Amino acid sequence: MTATEQQPLGSPFSADSTAEDVLAGRDLSGMTAVVTGGYSGLGLETTRILTAAGARVVVPARRPDVARDALREMQGSEVIPMDLADLDSVRSAAAHIGDRIDRIDLLMAVAGVMATPERRVGPGWEGQLTANHFGHFTLTGELYPLLAAAGGARVVVNSSAGHTLTGIRWHDPHFRTGYDQWLAYGQAKTANSLFAVHLDALGRGDGVRAFALHPGKIITGLQREMTLQEQIERGWVDEHGHVVGADFKTPSQGAATGLWAATSPLLDARGGLYLEDCDIARVSAPGTPMDDGGVRAYAIDPEEAARLWDLSVAATGATPIPG
């Protein structure tokens, strides 16, 4: 990836485009997708549109009963139990997926947590980095042979404008001292972006291309760890919990960029890019407001991406992807 590639293409879609707009007229019959978090919020919209277009969609879910209930009318969807914060669970889910299918055309990492209270998982890892990054990192590594078998797979990772809060805290990635729920979230979202950069560098020889994205501001279950008062103070909702921010997207609009990333022919032979509003994002200057859009240079830096990859392999014991 070069800086010249990280700039808008002039996509026919925009911030107002919906998931239906992006996939209008597309026939995805014969394609198989894995969508983490594919049973609520943006993930549910993603599963709905993909199955409507004819794709088979496998949904790994931390709450499989809830997922099956949410997806019961979506023909072509199936649920596999998986908890992203439990890497044994992730490996088990990947093995179950491998027993059922022989290729994956789309892997969409939609699941995530945001601004949670301090949680320690595994060997004392910080919870948001684990669920948002290590879990998806491990899942992708386990499923990589199925991605390579597709001969043109795409991996789409939901990052966020929250990445502007901080780069990777190399001195203390697990917040051993001074936990901050928003910096932990920001670091995890930077990790999501860097993951796509290095995965793309390693996978392109096998036709596996990767993208990260900001879906836009949407009120979904992602905010479940925040109090109503916190959301009011941020100008997101009123005292009744109703969305009041004028720049919020609907869930369908929020799912659109991920679906564009997964299917747009404009992205053929491209990868390692950060997307927003159904286009490639521009690089934003340090210190510009989060809501002004764009991606910070540190979140798409190839050297930072390679360093995070090495850290992630060492932490998780994941099988290295040949590059």
Side-chain angles (χ1 to χ4, degrees):
M1 199 260 324
T2 65
T4 55
E5 291 178 287
Q6 188 65 57
Q7 56 187 336
L9 284 170
S11 161
F13 303 108
S14 69
D16 296 326
S17 297
T18 64
E20 289 85 354
D21 294 335
V22 170
L23 254 61
R26 296 294 297 267
D27 182 0
L28 302 183
S29 299
M31 295 186 72
T32 298
V34 174
V35 182
T36 70
Y39 61 102
S40 65
L42 303 186
L44 180 61
E45 282 294 305
T46 300
T47 301
R48 183 175 66 82
I49 294 298
L50 288 174
T51 55
R56 178 184 184 182
V57 181
V58 179
V59 178
R62 185 171 57 84
R63 298 173 294 164
D65 291 342
V66 174
R68 291 187 183 100
D69 187 54
L71 301 175
R72 66 182 181 277
E73 295 181 4
M74 294 185 196
Q75 292 188 336
S77 67
E78 55 196 284
V79 174
I80 301 263
M82 186 185 79
D83 181 350
L84 281 166
D86 177 349
L87 299 194
D88 287 338
S89 165
V90 172
R91 293 186 179 100
S92 176
H96 283 300
I97 291 170
D99 288 341
R100 286 166 167 76
I101 58 181
D102 58 8
R103 57 179 273 175
I104 295 171
D105 301 280
L106 302 172
L107 173 55
M108 304 188 71
V110 183
V113 296
M114 183 178 81
T116 62
E118 183 172 6
R119 288 198 186 109
R120 297 286 154 190
V121 296
W125 293 336
E126 191 280 310
Q128 295 191 72
L129 184 65
T130 304
N132 291 341
H133 171 59
F134 284 158
H136 284 123
F137 178 87
T138 302
L139 180 66
T140 304
E142 295 288 318
L143 296 179
Y144 187 81
L146 300 179
L147 292 164
R154 292 187 186 180
V155 178
V156 179
V157 186
N158 276 32
S159 178
S160 160
H163 83 271
T164 60
L165 294 169
T166 180
I168 303 299
R169 292 161 41 96
W170 300 113
H171 66 289
D172 184 19
H174 291 292
F175 289 82
R176 305 293 184 195
T177 58
Y179 180 76
D180 180 298
Q181 65 188 35
W182 285 105
L183 288 182
Y185 176 67
Q187 175 180 247
K189 294 292 104 177
T190 292
N192 288 150
S193 181
L194 291 172
F195 168 53
V197 169
H198 201 65
L199 175 61
D200 187 79
L202 295 176
R204 66 184 61 173
D206 292 323
V208 179
R209 306 309 301 258
F211 303 89
L213 65 95
H214 171 41
K217 292 172 65 176
I218 312 105
I219 295 293
T220 66
L222 185 64
Q223 290 81 19
R224 61 184 171 272
E225 299 278 1
M226 298 178 65
T227 66
L228 177 63
Q229 189 58 38
E230 284 178 304
Q231 296 184 54
I232 292 171
E233 289 171 358
R234 288 178 174 268
W236 294 353
V237 300
D238 62 18
E239 63 271 22
H240 304 294
H242 300 139
V243 178
V244 294
D247 54 348
F248 278 93
K249 293 185 178 185
T250 66
S252 181
Q253 289 170 330
T257 299
L259 290 163
W260 183 77
T263 62
S264 175
L266 288 176
L267 296 174
D268 288 348
R270 298 177 187 269
L273 299 165
Y274 181 96
L275 316 175
E276 66 183 359
D277 295 337
C278 298
D279 207 334
I280 299 174
R282 57 182 170 74
V283 180
S284 60
T288 55
M290 179 190 300
D291 290 343
D292 283 4
V295 60
R296 295 289 198 263
Y298 60 70
I300 51 171
D301 182 279
E303 292 184 3
E304 290 282 287
R307 185 178 180 186
L308 176 65
W309 192 276
D310 290 343
L311 180 155
S312 303
V313 168
T316 65
T319 303
I321 292 173

